[in-house]
């Protein structure tokens, strides 16, 4: 058990190499073997993350199950892992979603024109090219590689180690976006996929380069004061105790360097424009990986690194960041209302949701940060359900345009019903998981910044508009041509959607298991920035029974 976190990171990484090395998928049997190996590896990763969550003690040390292995000793760099409450729930979220994404994407990497049954090389798609021979292996190996890198990012307690994997995950994501796009695109879909992949890479590389400069600056400042290390607990402890003093100007510059990279990854307005392109041109499974898994690394890092390493700068820039978050909430929701493409609508809705998450983080209240952490989990689950069902719908009709649908609930009622649940979760209907997190974020924000909290509620109204209008236009009304023969959800697709719907309802009714895990980490984060919850502006006066007679 002393190497549990290392094993959790290593299993998907080794599985990615193993999957990529499997024999070329020139027959259905070989492709099926590849998929089974990959999903088995993801299931093993899920079991390990569940064990990590089970062994985590909410009332224990900040970082638990810690491991550290010297890496670059001369610079104080180590392969150090540790899990806190926030990292535990996000690691578990990642491990839950990846096998469901694989199951939903079961045929996404198959050749467009599969070979005739039992005949290798038959059909125009099985032309012996590298793309067709290795396509399935590459797709599922890349998913496992993303999973491994995201898990390391959630567990890393070395700043340099985090940075390496924060940047490394861009490589497999680039190939997933550019090489395995949505087949419902137009004749220029290959060019659009390439554009989306390059835009994704350039935006995030720019953020990473800025962060690298800040990481180096942090090391130089620490070295000058006897802290030549990248160990996060050591640095945050020295800063909290006043042993490591960072000049206010330097602290603000370093904060901005870290925050910029995380804001791009999140994404936050105005560095958000890569997301609609990336999600729109990706397969539904890849789109879920982007918004429900990879983007969460950005918001998670704001809590762990920005607030922990630069507490004074975090408080200084909090009002400005809250304004940017507010713009993201309203701007993303407004653009979602006007979308004609289903997947781009979900992308803009996610931009709005990430605005809520970042607003909760920088409200600097326990309710806001607990709500933000829950929002990361609940958004991941609900958006995964919404996007994957949308992907099932698009794969049947061959179009992403909302106008090409109508009356789906009459021919595929189960598909329409699950799509409705995903939409209702997106608008934070009471009783579903996102409601709890959004309510906490708004309460936490209002208690310190009431004007921003009030304006942010407008995003809820817009969410109801874009979610319900999308359902009305696609699922109700007369059955359109091209929709009449659409089949309902199949057993494999139901196996994907059912656990997501169940979790959305369960965490909406009973979120206590998650809040018990994350609350101690939130309290520790607030103590690092020397913040407490504001006292009520109008305390309730003691009254006697006679006053009400």
């Amino acid at each position: 058990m002393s190497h549990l976190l290392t094993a959790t990171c290593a299993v998907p990484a080794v599985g990615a190499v193993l999957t990529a090395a499997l024999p070329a998928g020139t027959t259905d049997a070989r492709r099926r073997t590849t998929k089974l190996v990959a999903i088995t590896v993801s299931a093993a990763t899920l079991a390990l993350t569940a064990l990590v969550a089970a062994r985590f003690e909410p009332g224990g040390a900040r970082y638990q199950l810690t491991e550290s292995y010297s890496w670059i000793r001369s610079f104080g760099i180590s392969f150090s892992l540790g899990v806190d409450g926030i990292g535990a729930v996000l690691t578990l979220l990642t491990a839950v979603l990846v096998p469901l994404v694989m199951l939903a994407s079961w045929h996404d990497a198959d050749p467009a024109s599969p070979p005739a049954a039992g005949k290798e090389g038959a059909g125009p798609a099985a032309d012996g090219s590298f793309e067709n021979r290795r396509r399935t292996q590459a797709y599922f190996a890349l998913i496992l590689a993303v999973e491994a890198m995201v898990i390391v990012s959630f567990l890393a307690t070395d700043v340099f180690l985090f940075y390496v994997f924060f940047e490394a995950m861009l490589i497999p994501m680039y190939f997933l976006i550019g090489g395995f796009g949505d087949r419902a695109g137009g004749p220029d879909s290959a060019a659009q996929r390439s554009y989306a992949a390059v835009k994704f890479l350039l935006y995030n590389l720019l953020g990473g380069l800025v962060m690298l400069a800040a990481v180096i600056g942090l090391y130089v400042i620490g070295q000058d004061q006897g802290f030549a290390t990248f160990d996060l607990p050591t640095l945050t402890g020295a800063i909290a105790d006043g042993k490591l003093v960072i000049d206010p100007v330097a602290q603000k510059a370093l904060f901005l360097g870290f925050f910029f990279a995380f804001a791009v990854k999140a994404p936050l307005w105005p560095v958000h424009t890569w997301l609609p392109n990336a999600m729109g041109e990706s397969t539904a499974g890849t789109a879920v990986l982007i918004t429900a898994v990879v983007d969460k690394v950005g918001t998670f890092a704001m809590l762990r690194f920005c607030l922990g390493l630069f507490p004074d700068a975090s408080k200084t820039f909090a009002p400005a960041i809250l304004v940017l978050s507010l713009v993201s909430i309203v701007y993303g929701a407004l653009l979602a209302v006007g979308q004609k493409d289903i997947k781009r609508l979900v992308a803009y809705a996610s931009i709005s949701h990430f605005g809520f998450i970042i607003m909760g983080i920088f409200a600097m209240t326990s309710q806001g940060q607990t709500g933000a952490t829950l929002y990361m989990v609940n958004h991941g689950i609900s958006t995964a359900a919404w996007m994957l069902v949308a992907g099932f719908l698009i794969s049947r009709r061959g179009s992403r345009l909302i106008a090409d649908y109508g009356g789906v609930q009459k021919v595929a009622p189960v598909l329409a019903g699950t799509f409705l649940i995903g939409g209702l979760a997106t608008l934070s209907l009471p009783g579903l998981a996102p409601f709890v997190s959004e309510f906490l974020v708004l309460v936490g924000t209002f208690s310190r910044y009431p004007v921003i909290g009030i304006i942010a509620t407008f995003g809820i109204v817009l969410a109801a508009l874009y979610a319900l209008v999308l359902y009305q236009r696609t699922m109700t009304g007369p059955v359109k041509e091209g929709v009449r023969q659409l089949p309902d959800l199949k057993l494999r697709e139901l196996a994907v959607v059912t656990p997501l719907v169940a979790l959305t309802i369960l965490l909406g009714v009973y979120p206590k298991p998650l809040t018990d895990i994350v609350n101690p980490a939130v309290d520790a984060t607030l103590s690092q920035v020397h913040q407490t919850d504001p006292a009520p502006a109008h305390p309730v006066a003691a009254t006697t029974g006679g006053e009400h007679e």
Side-chain angles (χ1 to χ4, degrees):
M1 290 299 182
S2 60
H3 304 292
L4 179 58
L5 297 187
T6 299
T8 304
C9 300
V11 167
V14 173
V17 175
L18 176 62
T19 302
L22 289 173
T26 52
T27 64
D28 288 343
R30 287 185 176 182
R31 285 191 291 273
R32 189 180 305 112
T33 299
T34 297
K35 298 168 187 176
L36 290 174
V37 168
I39 203 166
T40 300
V41 170
S42 68
T45 306
L46 174 57
L48 287 171
T49 57
L51 183 58
V52 169
R55 287 175 55 84
F56 181 80
E57 299 178 4
R62 171 73 185 273
Y63 296 105
Q64 301 179 27
L65 306 175
T66 54
E67 305 173 30
S68 184
Y69 311 94
S70 180
W71 184 12
I72 307 175
R73 191 183 302 273
S74 58
F75 289 99
I77 299 172
S78 61
F79 189 89
S80 298
L81 304 175
V83 61
D84 66 353
I86 299 170
V89 297
L90 291 177
T91 301
L92 190 58
L93 170 70
T94 302
V96 167
L97 290 180
V98 167
L100 297 178
V101 165
M102 287 184 176
L103 198 58
S105 307
W106 202 250
H107 298 297
D108 285 356
D110 289 350
S113 300
K119 295 182 180 180
E120 290 194 25
D127 58 6
S129 67
F130 176 82
E131 178 184 359
N132 285 299
R133 288 186 292 110
R134 309 299 306 181
R135 183 176 175 86
T136 304
Q137 286 88 339
Y139 184 73
F140 286 92
L142 289 169
I143 292 177
L144 288 173
V146 171
E147 180 179 28
M149 293 174 183
V150 169
I151 289 176
V152 173
S153 299
F154 287 143
L155 300 179
T157 55
D158 182 279
V159 178
F160 189 82
L161 175 68
F162 170 84
Y163 171 78
V164 169
F165 283 90
F166 179 81
E167 288 293 278
M169 70 180 69
L170 301 180
I171 299 171
M173 286 307 308
Y174 169 80
F175 287 108
L176 283 171
I177 296 168
F180 301 90
D182 186 359
R183 290 174 178 171
D188 58 345
S189 59
Q192 292 173 348
R193 287 200 306 271
S194 297
Y195 171 78
V198 170
K199 189 174 184 178
F200 161 82
L201 188 64
L202 291 179
Y203 267 67
N204 284 275
L205 278 179
L206 175 61
L209 289 174
V210 174
M211 180 182 170
L212 177 60
V215 169
I216 295 172
L218 177 65
Y219 177 80
V220 171
I221 292 173
Q223 186 182 41
D224 290 343
Q225 300 182 43
F227 292 93
T229 181
F230 286 98
D231 184 66
L232 181 64
T234 300
L235 292 172
T236 54
I239 292 170
D241 295 339
K243 297 177 181 177
L244 175 56
V245 180
I246 304 177
D247 178 78
V249 175
Q251 185 176 151
K252 291 174 185 177
L254 294 177
F255 171 87
L256 290 175
F258 276 76
F259 179 78
F260 179 73
F262 303 151
V264 172
K265 182 85 78 178
L268 177 69
W269 184 90
V271 288
H272 67 284
T273 59
W274 63 267
L275 183 65
N277 296 98
M279 289 183 65
E281 300 304 325
S282 301
T283 65
T286 300
V288 169
L289 284 180
I290 294 170
T291 190
V293 176
V294 172
D295 288 354
K296 299 302 188 300
V297 177
T299 48
F300 162 80
M302 291 178 188
L303 277 167
R304 174 168 286 189
F305 295 97
C306 286
L307 272 61
L309 292 170
F310 316 111
D312 294 335
S314 297
K315 290 185 286 187
T316 299
F317 288 109
I321 294 171
L322 288 170
V323 172
L324 294 179
S325 302
L326 191 60
V327 174
S328 283
I329 291 169
V330 178
Y331 173 85
L334 282 172
L335 265 65
V337 171
Q339 290 304 304
K340 299 178 181 179
D341 182 309
I342 296 174
K343 292 170 75 174
R344 290 179 69 91
L345 185 152
V346 178
Y348 279 109
S350 290
I351 292 170
S352 181
H353 294 151
F354 276 104
F356 278 108
I357 294 171
I358 297 171
M359 185 174 74
I361 292 172
F362 285 92
M364 304 287 188
T365 61
S366 59
Q367 300 99 325
Q369 292 191 357
T370 297
T373 305
L374 292 181
Y375 215 132
M376 295 184 219
V377 177
N378 296 335
H379 170 265
I381 294 169
S382 61
T383 299
W386 206 28
M387 175 59 83
L388 291 177
V389 176
F392 297 150
L393 179 66
I394 291 168
S395 66
R396 284 160 163 74
R397 178 66 176 84
S399 173
R400 304 198 307 252
L401 297 178
I402 298 172
D404 288 339
Y405 295 90
V408 174
Q409 68 180 11
K410 297 177 181 177
V411 298
V414 178
L415 187 153
T418 53
F419 191 72
L420 176 61
I421 293 174
L424 293 176
T426 296
L427 62 85
S428 299
L429 183 75
L432 300 179
F435 170 77
V436 179
S437 45
E438 197 162 284
F439 177 78
L440 286 173
V441 166
L442 289 172
V443 169
T445 303
F446 183 84
S447 65
R448 195 180 294 278
Y449 301 97
V451 174
I452 290 177
I454 291 171
I455 298 174
T457 58
F458 186 57
I460 302 176
V461 178
L462 292 174
L465 183 61
Y466 63 68
L468 295 178
V469 168
L470 174 63
Y471 182 84
Q472 180 188 38
R473 291 178 178 175
T474 56
M475 301 296 164
T476 65
V479 179
K480 288 196 173 183
E481 291 297 328
V483 173
R484 296 184 185 279
Q485 304 303 319
L486 292 187
D488 213 334
L489 293 183
K490 300 175 183 178
L491 183 61
R492 172 181 60 85
E493 296 163 333
L494 285 171
V496 172
V497 176
T498 300
L500 295 173
V501 170
L503 285 171
T504 300
I505 297 173
L506 176 63
L507 295 177
V509 175
Y510 190 64
K512 188 175 184 296
L514 290 185
T515 57
D516 286 346
I517 294 175
V518 304
N519 279 339
V522 166
D523 292 340
T525 301
L526 286 174
S527 68
Q528 287 177 326
V529 293
H530 309 293
Q531 289 280 41
T532 57
D533 290 333
H538 303 287
V540 178
T543 59
T544 63
E547 292 175 322
H548 299 284
E549 294 176 358

